[in-house]
Amino acid sequence: MAALDGLPPLRDVIRRHELDARKALGQNFLLDLNLTQKVARTAGSLEGVTVFEVGPGPGGLTRAILALGAKKVIAVERDARCLPALSEVAEHYPGRLEVIEGDALKTDFEALVPEGPVKIIANLPYNVGTQLLVNWLLPKAWPPFWQSLTLMFQKEVGQRIVAHEDDDHYGRLGVLCGWRTDAHMAFDVPPQAFTPPPKVTSTVVHLVPKANPLPCPVEKLERVTQAAFGQRRKMLRQSLKSLGGEALLVKAGIDPARRAETLSVEEFVRLANSL
């Protein structure tokens, strides 16, 4: 990629700007530029697309996205130390990189949406990744402002995202993702691809919004899944007691003796709509 975009190798950028990855910020910098291109390519064609990125760090993935033809990247970075390195990328791609210094959890991404298609591509900080995904999954209006999500997580989180009923990894995240998106794990990324290497394997997950997910109020599905998986080892008549217990389950046509991990997404939607 250094040859492709004419910018210095990432290791040199990190050394020059003294960018040690900080655990408190959930940082693990991805330095393998072949891998950053592979992540960006997983999102499909980027021609004419605005890409939102969270936690760009020294800009390895940012460079890949821009080199592959994105119209613009809007990157949210909380660590002010990374801004000088990102400004060098912005100078190399005039008018195509906008960096917002701030907390992604407090950022109104929808308010930043320009004209044209939007995709979200990010090596998410480990400590906020799941919450950001849930925020993007649960806007009240659907279809959402984004065409696809291409996100890197710890592998265990990726397994939860794509899990279905009767899978050991199935839980609230699998229900929410299965309700509104088609999700698959694209490929794994080994610890040694990062600086510093995390203790776990990472994985890239690609999610595409369903045009017509089963109709259901977001807040009701959240309540049902939270209660059901909050006491996942108990029968649903017990775990859903605060929401109506056996009466609610009978109304939804579900055996009160079943447990949360045996219910399909469609059954959870029935439960929520019966509240």
Side-chain angles (χ1 to χ4, degrees):
M1 171 98 74
L4 180 66
D5 66 11
L7 287 163
L10 276 176
R11 287 191 189 280
D12 293 353
V13 172
I14 287 169
R15 193 179 306 114
R16 189 158 36 88
H17 292 285
E18 300 179 346
L19 293 176
D20 57 305
R22 293 192 174 167
K23 193 174 182 181
L25 296 173
Q27 290 174 329
N28 295 90
F29 297 148
L30 187 59
L31 300 189
D32 186 330
L33 292 170
N34 290 319
L35 268 173
T36 60
Q37 286 194 76
K38 190 176 179 182
V39 174
R41 283 199 190 98
T42 301
S45 173
L46 300 180
E47 294 293 332
V49 172
T50 296
V51 173
F52 287 169
E53 186 186 3
V54 171
L61 182 54
T62 316
R63 285 164 58 175
I65 294 165
L66 289 165
L68 288 171
K71 180 171 76 174
K72 186 173 184 179
V73 174
I74 300 174
V76 180
E77 178 54 68
R78 188 178 167 191
D79 187 357
R81 299 176 308 139
C82 296
L83 301 184
L86 292 168
S87 72
E88 293 172 7
V89 179
E91 285 170 23
H92 192 78
Y93 292 98
R96 291 176 59 200
L97 173 59
E98 178 184 347
V99 181
I100 298 170
E101 184 184 358
D103 184 343
L105 288 175
K106 297 175 182 173
T107 300
D108 183 354
F109 287 91
E110 216 156 341
L112 301 172
V113 172
E115 284 186 20
V118 169
K119 296 182 178 183
I120 300 177
I121 307 174
N123 168 22
L124 292 174
Y126 280 169
N127 52 359
V128 296
T130 305
Q131 187 55 57
L132 282 168
L133 172 60
V134 171
N135 291 352
W136 291 325
L137 280 176
L138 299 183
K140 285 193 166 54
W142 198 266
F145 67 87
W146 44 270
Q147 275 192 349
S148 68
L149 305 173
T150 306
L151 307 172
M152 194 182 303
F153 297 95
Q154 297 177 53
K155 186 170 183 175
E156 182 267 335
V157 176
Q159 290 168 322
R160 284 164 47 205
I161 289 168
V162 303
H164 297 282
E165 66 268 27
D166 294 318
D167 181 319
D168 287 346
H169 297 282
Y170 187 58
R172 180 169 171 261
L173 199 55
V175 175
L176 297 178
C177 292
W179 171 47
R180 277 192 159 172
T181 73
D182 293 307
H184 75 274
M185 289 166 62
F187 61 93
D188 290 344
V189 182
Q192 57 269 29
F194 297 89
T195 297
K199 293 177 181 174
V200 294
T201 296
S202 299
T203 197
V204 174
V205 184
H206 185 66
L207 304 97
V208 177
K210 290 179 176 175
N212 297 296
L214 295 167
C216 176
V218 167
E219 59 280 359
K220 288 188 177 183
L221 189 61
E222 282 193 284
R223 286 172 64 199
V224 165
T225 52
Q226 209 158 11
F229 288 106
Q231 302 181 70
R232 63 185 299 144
R233 298 196 182 281
K234 294 187 175 178
M235 292 182 189
L236 287 165
R237 63 158 62 94
Q238 187 62 37
S239 59
L240 296 179
K241 206 168 187 178
S242 63
L243 300 180
E246 194 148 344
L248 172 68
L249 289 151
V250 169
K251 185 179 177 185
I254 293 168
D255 181 355
R258 288 174 66 186
R259 289 180 170 80
E261 66 267 19
T262 70
L263 264 62
S264 66
V265 170
E266 187 266 338
E267 287 174 312
F268 271 109
V269 168
R270 278 206 333 253
L271 262 179
N273 285 331
S274 298
L275 263 182

